[in-house]
Amino acid sequence: GVVTIPAFGEQFAVLEIESAGINVPVYWGSNAELLELGAVQTTSSAAPGSGGNAVIDAHVNTFFHDLDKAAVGDSVVLYTQYGRFTYEVTKLVEFPYNEHKYVLPTEEETLTLYTCEKQIFGSSDIRIGTVCKPTEMVYYNSKEAAE
């Protein structure tokens, strides 16, 4: 399929985790303004459907408030401008804010979602999230159609 890299700050997808009640717009790039609008995908991670690790995060007090309700086996759907990608949660993760192993590039297609651990006061140094593997990848345009 044909993967289209969006412009920085552009909404390029909607992320849905029905089991956790999450339905959020996803923006390409990350900064404070974009985090107020929805979830963000760091531009140093792979675009969904291109092979590699697509890393998406959002604030725990807004759009990823219920990310901790996701469970292994749950379905995650990412509706992008160029395709619909369905994943299965394969692992729940918890890591310090300065640990990068879950957000680094991977060889295989992966979707990593994360947010801060919930805190009553202040912010947390712990991140929680999910690692997801694809179960279905549907591209709206094929490489042959683009040629």
Side-chain angles (χ1 to χ4, degrees), residues 22-137:
I22 294 173
N23 190 306
V24 60
V26 181
Y27 294 85
W28 186 255
S30 182
N31 63 27
E33 286 179 18
L34 294 174
L35 281 164
E36 294 299 318
L37 300 174
V40 298
Q41 180 173 345
T42 178
T43 57
S44 62
S45 71
S50 68
N53 191 12
V55 179
I56 297 175
D57 67 285
H59 285 310
V60 71
N61 59 350
T62 58
F63 301 101
F64 273 6
H65 183 267
D66 291 326
L67 184 61
D68 61 348
K69 292 182 181 174
V72 170
D74 286 354
S75 180
V76 176
V77 183
L78 193 60
Y79 301 92
T80 72
Q81 296 170 338
Y82 53 85
R84 184 186 76 245
F85 304 94
T86 305
Y87 300 85
E88 179 181 337
V89 175
T90 57
K91 187 177 193 179
L92 303 177
V93 296
E94 182 177 300
F95 54 99
Y97 78 95
N98 57 356
E99 170 63 55
H100 302 291
K101 76 178 184 178
Y102 294 109
V103 299
L104 291 173
T106 60
E107 291 292 320
E108 66 281 346
E109 181 79 24
T110 305
L111 174 65
T112 302
L113 308 172
Y114 77 94
T115 191
C116 293
E117 180 181 55
K118 291 178 183 171
Q119 294 288 315
I120 302 292
F121 299 107
S123 61
S124 174
D125 288 340
I126 302 295
R127 305 295 180 256
I128 61 160
T130 65
V131 176
C132 310
K133 300 297 180 190
T135 57
E136 182 180 38
M137 297 170 59

Side-chain angles (χ1 to χ4, degrees), residues 2 141-147:
V2 177
N141 297 304
S142 67
K143 287 183 181 175
E144 294 77 29
E147 293 176 353

